[in-house]
């Protein structure tokens, strides 16, 4: 029976087993059973009888009742074994007679905790909860099935077992247990004195060893014998066995068992106490004592004549010289003062030797010392010498007396000799102790008895000076002076003051003579000498201005006479600013640049002439202008005559002009000229606009260049001084306006002249507007050229030359005159009238031109952004053509920059002229940075050049800053401080450095521009041959795509996808419609066609059978769209002949597609040939765009393409074209005609040929059997074979696969076709085929026409050598004629 979790509750039985009855069964197993309140009429709630085994686990018997015992469980076994088990079962509240709960007639083993037991048979009473009986004392239980109180057995030896012990416990250390069944720890026997036991659980104790003892009962260890002695007996039970170490020894260790353990005190120490425990009891010997042997109990004293000053000494030292040592001395005692000793064995002071007379001996001396010079000593036992008194001296040693000083000398206390009086002092009598000082203004030499006066230029301000001091720089003085009070030569006195103040601050009053001035001794500011060629605005100013030559040779010296030094020095008076004191007769004004006489002007800088009548001058200028207009008109008319280019005299000039225009346009020179012209316009106004005073070697040529383009027509009428600046300004500002107006009027007149004869006539205003636009480019060019110079002339109304009239180191005060008219003083009413006129012209020119440019560019904004040019954008191309479309408005920014730098800065007052340079420097810096970031130009070299000129201008303005600072320092300080501050000694050094840096920057960036242009030129993009620049894409306003790709998916999708990708790479910006990318609604195909400029028909099989393709075709024809036909010729890709494709086309569409002359090309997949097809497509697209609609053709190229490379054969190259190879001779001669240096041989054998041409067409190896043998022989002779595969059907072209059928198998197996055969195509692809064949033959690029002529000359000499070897070699007359007559232009074309 096996039950788990069974519950027997409130069960009743009349006889045994109130809950369960089992009899004569096998094994019974109850797990987690519950017997609750079961009632039995006889015995037990659970009655088990005569079963084999019982297992009762985790069960409960609660409140069960039986009439007979037991109440809960009755058990008997039929096998009477011990296999029955009772585990974790409780019995509570069960009731039966005698309170018997369990009756086991057979063994029933309880599963008890360790240390417990339960009986396995018999009766058990009351409540039970597991095992409740402990193992008996003296026993232990280490199992769970004990059923007697002995449990596992008696306790072990050396151990004890309390009641319920699981295992025996060890007796503690210091005890032992010789018996079994010990019940408690108190039963363990303690060890007797003299014994010990260090371990627990032992049967016996151990005796103490020698060197130790155990005085107590129960010792776990013996005590070691104490330090300082020994214990020699074993098993000692008392400390009395310890014996101390004798004096002079010690024992630091415990447990010693022998006297040998006592250690002796080392030498130099002693110990008086016995039983010492450590070496610290061995005390070191005191000074004066020693211990020479170990183990001493007392140290010995040092003997007389010796000492010892150290502790722990092992011996004594000999006494020192100059000392004595008593017995037991710890140090030598010095001999008393006045005595000495050189011995080492003295024992008393009386043994020291007394010092002899005239000598001394200090305390502890080893010898006596003679008194030194300047001292003496009397008698014996002297310890110190006495010094000689004042006025006496002693030069010898050991003297007893001192000598008095001689007259003219002095002696101090302890002097060894007499001293002569120093400079600036004297002594009149002998025996003095000091000398008297000289009076101020005098001095004396060594040993003098009197003083002399100071020389001129020196002074002695204090008494007793040893010498007269030179006057402080830069002062001077008279003889016998006590102070310096005037300025020396090359200096001047700034202002009068007290001599003491001048002396105390000489550099505040004496200033260096201004540059180029003359200053003698005692010169004042008002008496400075001004040499010829210089002028100053006032005698109170220290600034001298060099008079300019104004074109003459040393004219400044002639006009500016200067002043004469000396004549006016005594009675100099200060002059007003602008004084004529320094001018030669007949000249006046600042720098003497005005003629004193009325109606006269300055000629060559030093001569005055009378002004001519104004009427004659005006007539002269009118004639000049008219002549120039006529000359320009004739030049334009002559250039327009195309037929004249063949004339003898004028033809070369016109052709040269054509070439110049070609190179000018091709090189994009407009942008470069504008950049350099702008740089020139700004760089030439440094002196006039920024008041920069630069050397003549710079301003000379810049002024000439500035005057060359200055639009000051008044200079042709009258010289500048003959006409007021206001009148000159009117002429300069209005004359270009009149010229431009005449130009515009001419354009309108020409248009109206044509309009009168036109039929029908267009609207008059529209024709007039076109006439205005015709000459708008010329007008914009004139404005571009004139506006900076005219604006500068206008703003120069505020340009004034300032001259300093205030003394140095005082607030700056200046007087200013107009630079353009020195007769007008700035700030006066006359000057105000000129500036008022200039304000009006600012509105006309600087502001007006900027507004005009900006307005025109704004009007062009929309068509330019849409790439749809119109008449206005073409007329104003001068303003935006060189710039990227994003930055089309940059010309207005450039104009604003030039106006600011050449004119607007002049609005800053002259007194703040340096601020103009600061503004210009900031503008140049910012503009250079913006240029470098934005890069607005189309050409990269233009961007580089623009940045270079901006940086060069920045360097120029920085250099001008330096020169202005340099001159300012010189003028304000009047010294050479500028050299110390800036590191430049002269103005020329700054200017030269500036020029070198500018030239270096320009050269560096120009080289960079060239390199950048060459790199850009190598990028594979479509370029115009005429300009080498990418073409400008444009599109008709309202359209979206430049090209529409019409194709059929099955045979054309891959090809048109490649066409679109390649075109977008080679022509950036092109917009191409492709259905996979752009198709949104198939129903809007017609709308897509309408929004496209050119339609591409990709002709392949099935194209004309597609409904959508036909929709595209019909829409294109109905909308009259330009068409490009691209044919797929490869049958494997869906291609066919043009006729086969036409046959597929509906008949009504064939004439409009195939007979209208639309551009046609074949689609190629090899890159070199494919680009030819793409060029054909691009040319058609460009010719339909607004920019090129008036042209009939466009030559395009791609950098690096074979057909554009000038190829020639530099080495001897002979090409053999076998007569057995039909067509080879014609192709070989075609190659030789195209490329110089190739020789063609048509002999029967190759001879000296370097290459063999194998021409492959449908007749190869078929028409002549000799060809196969010749190829075999050539391969055997290792003659290089170049194969040409003809693809033109008219010339026998076929698929390459056919050659595997016609070529002998021996050649195929030998690897004939392992090398690539060059394809030969007809039409525009022919040039590529010839170029690739030439390269295979060894042709290389020719860099110049000279190289080409060299190749031609070499090729002509080769036939002569071939003829001498009698080989059948010939070159056709056509080839010779072509090579001998080829020019550099032809080479460029190749």
């Amino acid at each position: 029976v096996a039950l788990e979790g069974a519950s027997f509750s409130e069960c009743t039985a009349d006889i045994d087993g109130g809950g369960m009855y089992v009899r004569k069964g096998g094994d019974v197993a109850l797990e987690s059973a519950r017997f609750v309140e079961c009632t039995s009429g006889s015995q037990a709630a659970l009655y088990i009888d005569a079963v084999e085994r019982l297992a009762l686990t985790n069960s409960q018997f609660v409140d069960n009742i039986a009439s007979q015992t037991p109440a809960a469980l009755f058990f008997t076994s039929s096998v009477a074994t011990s296999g029955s088990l009772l585990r974790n079962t409780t019995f509570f509240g069960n009731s039966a007679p005698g309170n018997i709960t369990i009756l086991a007639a057979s063994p029933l083993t309880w599963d008890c905790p360790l240390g417990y037991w339960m009986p396995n048979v018999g009766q058990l009473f009351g409540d039970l909860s597991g095992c409740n009986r402990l193992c008996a004392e003296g026993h232990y239980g280490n199992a769970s099935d004990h059923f007697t109180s002995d449990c596992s057995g008696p306790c072990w030896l050396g151990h004890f077992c309390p009641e319920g012990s699981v295992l025996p416990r060890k007796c503690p250390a210091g005890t032992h247990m010789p018996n079994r069944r010990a019940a408690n720890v108190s039963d363990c026997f303690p060890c007797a004195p003299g014994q010990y036991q260090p371990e627990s659980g032992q049967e016996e104790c151990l005796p103490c060893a020698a060197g130790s003892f155990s005085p107590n009962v129960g010792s776990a260890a013996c005590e070691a014998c104490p330090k300082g002695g020994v214990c020699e007996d074993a098993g000692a039970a008392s400390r009395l066995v310890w014996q101390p170490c004798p004096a002079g020894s010690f024992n630091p260790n415990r447990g010693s068992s022998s006297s040998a353990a006592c250690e002796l005190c080392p030498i130099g120490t002693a110990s008086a106490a016995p039983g010492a425990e450590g070496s610290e009891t061995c005390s070191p010997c005191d000074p004066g004592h020693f211990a020479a042997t170990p183990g001493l109990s007392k140290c010995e004293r040092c003997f007389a004549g010796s000492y010892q000053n150290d502790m722990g000494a092992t011996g004594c030292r000999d006494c020192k010289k100059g000392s004595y040592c008593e017995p037991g001395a710890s140090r030598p005692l010095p001999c008393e003062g006045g005595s000495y000793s050189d011995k080492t064995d003295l024992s008393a002071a009386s043994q020291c030797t007394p010092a002899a007379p005239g000598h001394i001996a200090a305390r502890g001396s080893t010898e006596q010392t003679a008194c030194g010079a300047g001292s003496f000593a009397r008698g014996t036992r002297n310890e110190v010498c006495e010094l000689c008194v004042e006025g006496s001296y002693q030069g010898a040693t050991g003297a007893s007396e001192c000598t008095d000083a001689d007259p003219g000398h002095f002696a101090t206390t302890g002097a060894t000799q007499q001293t002569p009086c120093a400079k600036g002092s004297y002594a009149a009598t002998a025996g003095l102790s000091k000398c008297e000082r000289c009076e101020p203004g005098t001095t004396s030499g060594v040993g003098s008895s009197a003083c002399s006066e100071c020389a001129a230029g020196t002074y002695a301000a204090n008494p007793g000076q040893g010498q007269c001091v030179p006057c402080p720089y830069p002062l001077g003085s008279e003889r016998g002076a006590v102070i310096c009070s005037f300025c020396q030569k090359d200096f001047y006195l700034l202002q009068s003051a007290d001599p003491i103040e001048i002396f105390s601050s000489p550099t505040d009053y004496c200033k260096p003579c201004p540059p180029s001035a003359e200053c003698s001794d005692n010169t004042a500011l008002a008496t400075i000498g001004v040499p010829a060629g210089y002028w100053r605005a006032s005698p109170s100013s220290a600034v001298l201005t060099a008079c300019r030559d104004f074109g003459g040779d040393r004219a400044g010296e002639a006009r500016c006479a200067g002043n004469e030094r000396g004549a006016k020095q005594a009675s100099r008076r200060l002059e007003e600013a602008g004084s004529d004191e320094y001018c030669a007769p007949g000249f006046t004004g600042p720098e003497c640049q005005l003629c004193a006489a009325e109606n006269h002007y300055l000629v060559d800088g030093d001569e005055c002439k009378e002004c001519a009548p104004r009427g004659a001058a005006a007539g002269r200028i009118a004639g000049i202008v008219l002549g120039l207009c006529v000359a320009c008109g004739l030049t334009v008319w002559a250039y327009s005559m195309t037929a004249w280019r063949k004339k003898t005299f004028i033809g070369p000039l016109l052709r040269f002009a054509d070439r110049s225009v070609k190179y000018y346009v091709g090189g994009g020179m407009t942008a470069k000229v504008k950049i350099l012209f702008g740089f020139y316009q700004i760089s030439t106004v440094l002196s006039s606009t920024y008041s920069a005073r630069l050397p003549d070697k710079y301003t000379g040529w810049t002024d000439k260049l500035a005057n060359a383009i200055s639009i000051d027509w008044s200079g042709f009428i009258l010289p500048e001084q003959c006409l007021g600046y206001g009148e000159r300004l009117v002429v300069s500002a209005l004359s270009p306006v009149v010229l431009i107006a005449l130009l515009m009027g001419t354009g309108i007149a020409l248009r109206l002249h044509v309009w009168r004869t036109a039929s029908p006539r267009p609207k008059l205003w529209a024709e007039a507007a076109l006439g205005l636009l015709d000459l708008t480019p010329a007008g914009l060019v004139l404005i571009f050229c004139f506006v900076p110079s005219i604006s500068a002339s206008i703003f120069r109304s505020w340009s004034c030359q300032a001259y300093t009239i205030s003394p140095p180191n005082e607030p700056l005060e200046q007087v200013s005159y107009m630079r353009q008219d020195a007769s007008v003083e700035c700030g006066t009413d006359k000057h105000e009238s000129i500036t008022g006129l200039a304000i009006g012209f600012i509105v006309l020119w600087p502001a007006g031109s900027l507004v005009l440019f900006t307005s025109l560019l704004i009007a062009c904004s929309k068509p330019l952004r849409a790439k749809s040019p119109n008449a206005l954008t073409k007329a104003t191309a001068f303003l935006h053509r060189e710039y990227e479309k994003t930055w089309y408005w940059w010309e207005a920014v450039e104009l604003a920059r030039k106006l600011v730098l050449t004119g607007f800065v002049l609005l800053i007052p002259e007194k703040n002229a340096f601020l103009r340079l600061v503004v210009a420097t900031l503008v140049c810096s910012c503009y250079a940075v913006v240029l470098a970031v934005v890069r607005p130009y189309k050409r990269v070299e233009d961007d580089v050049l623009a940045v270079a000129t901006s940086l060069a201008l920045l360097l120029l303005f920085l250099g001008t800053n330096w020169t202005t600072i340099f001159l300012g320092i010189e003028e304000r300080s009047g010294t050479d401080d500028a050299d110390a501050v800036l590191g430049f000694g002269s103005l020329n050094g700054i200017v030269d450095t500036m020029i070198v840096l500018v030239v270096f920057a320009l050269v560096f960036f120009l080289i960079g521009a060239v390199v950048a242009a060459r790199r850009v030129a190598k990028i594979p993009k479509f370029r115009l041959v005429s300009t080498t620049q990418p073409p400008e894409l444009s599109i008709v306003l309202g359209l979206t795509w430049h090209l529409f790709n019409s194709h059929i998916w099955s045979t054309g999708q891959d090809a048109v996808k490649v066409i679109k990708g390649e075109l977008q790479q080679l022509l950036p910006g092109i917009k191409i419609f492709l259905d996979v990318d752009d198709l949104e609604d198939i129903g809007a195909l017609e709308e897509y066609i309408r929004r496209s400029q050119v339609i591409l028909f990709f002709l392949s099989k099935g194209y004309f059978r597609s409904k959508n393709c036909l929709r595209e075709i019909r829409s294109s024809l109905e909308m009259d769209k330009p068409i490009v036909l691209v044919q797929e010729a490869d049958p494997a890709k869906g291609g066919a002949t043009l006729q086969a494709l036409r046959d597929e086309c509906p008949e009504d569409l064939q004439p409009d597609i195939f007979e209208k002359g639309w551009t046609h090309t074949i689609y190629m997949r090899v890159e070199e040939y494919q680009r030819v097809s793409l060029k054909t497509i691009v040319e058609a697209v460009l010719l339909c765009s607004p920019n090129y609609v008036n042209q009939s053709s466009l030559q395009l190229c791609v950098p690096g393409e074979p057909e554009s490379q000038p190829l020639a054969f530099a080495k001897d190259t002979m090409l053999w074209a076998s007569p057995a190879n039909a067509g080879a001779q014609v192709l070989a001669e075609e190659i030789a005609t195209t490329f110089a240096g190739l020789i063609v041989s048509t002999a029967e054998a190759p001879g000296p040929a370097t290459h063999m041409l194998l021409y492959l067409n449908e007749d190869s190896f078929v028409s002549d059997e000799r060809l196969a043998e010749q190829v075999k022989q050539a391969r055997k002779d290792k003659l290089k074979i170049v194969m040409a595969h003809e693809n033109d059907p008219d010339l026998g072209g076929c698929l390459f696969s056919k050659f595997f059928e016609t070529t002998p198998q021996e050649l195929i197996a030998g690897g004939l076709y392992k090398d690539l055969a060059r394809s030969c195509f007809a039409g525009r692809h022919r040039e590529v085929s010839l170029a690739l064949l030439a390269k295979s033959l060894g042709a290389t690029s020719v860099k110049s026409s000279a190289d080409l002529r060299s190749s031609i000359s070499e090729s002509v000499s080769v036939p002569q050598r071939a003829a001498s070897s009698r080989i059948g070699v010939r070159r056709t007359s056509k080839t010779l004629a072509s090579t001998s007559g080829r020019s550099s232009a032809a080479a460029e074309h190749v």
Side-chain angles (χ1 to χ4, degrees), residues 739-800:
L739 179 61
I740 294 172
L742 289 174
L743 191 65
M744 298 294 102
T746 302
I748 295 174
L750 292 174
R751 275 282 181 171
L752 293 180
H753 176 72
V754 177
W755 174 78
R756 293 177 59 188
T757 59
S759 179
R761 291 181 180 179
K763 293 182 180 180
L764 178 62
W765 66 267
E767 199 68 15
L770 291 176
L772 186 66
L773 293 177
D774 286 343
L775 291 183
T776 294
L780 292 177
V781 171
L782 290 178
I783 294 174
F784 171 82
C785 296
F786 290 165
V787 67
S789 59
I790 295 176
S791 300
S793 298
I794 295 171
F795 285 109
R796 286 192 188 111
S797 300
W798 288 272
S799 177
C800 298

Side-chain angles (χ1 to χ4, degrees), residues 1065-1115:
Q1065 274 194 335
L1066 296 170
L1067 189 62
I1070 188 171
K1071 296 180 180 179
I1072 303 174
F1073 181 92
L1074 185 61
D1075 49 7
V1076 294
D1077 299 328
D1078 306 292
L1079 182 64
E1080 296 178 356
D1081 182 7
I1082 191 65
L1085 280 178
E1086 290 75 7
E1087 176 63 17
Y1088 296 140
I1089 294 290
R1090 188 193 64 79
R1091 292 164 56 191
S1092 301
Q1093 190 162 267
V1094 178
I1095 313 301
L1096 183 148
F1097 292 173
F1098 190 81
L1099 306 181
S1100 60
K1101 289 182 178 179
Y1103 175 72
F1104 291 107
R1105 292 194 295 269
S1106 169
K1107 292 182 180 180
N1108 288 328
C1109 291
L1110 289 175
R1111 284 176 60 192
E1112 295 167 352
I1113 294 170
R1114 295 185 186 279
S1115 297

Side-chain angles (χ1 to χ4, degrees), residues 35-60:
F35 293 86
V36 180
E37 296 181 359
C38 292
T39 302
S40 173
S42 179
Q43 294 177 314
L46 174 62
Y47 190 92
I48 306 297
D49 182 27
V51 298
E52 293 183 1
R53 281 172 294 276
L54 171 64
L56 184 60
T57 307
N58 298 326
S59 298
Q60 296 177 352

Side-chain angles (χ1 to χ4, degrees), residues 601-625:
Y601 67 96
L602 193 64
V603 180
D604 294 334
D606 58 358
E607 181 182 358
C608 287
K609 289 186 178 182
E610 187 176 2
C611 297
R614 297 188 178 184
R620 183 170 61 252
I621 188 61
I624 293 175
V625 171

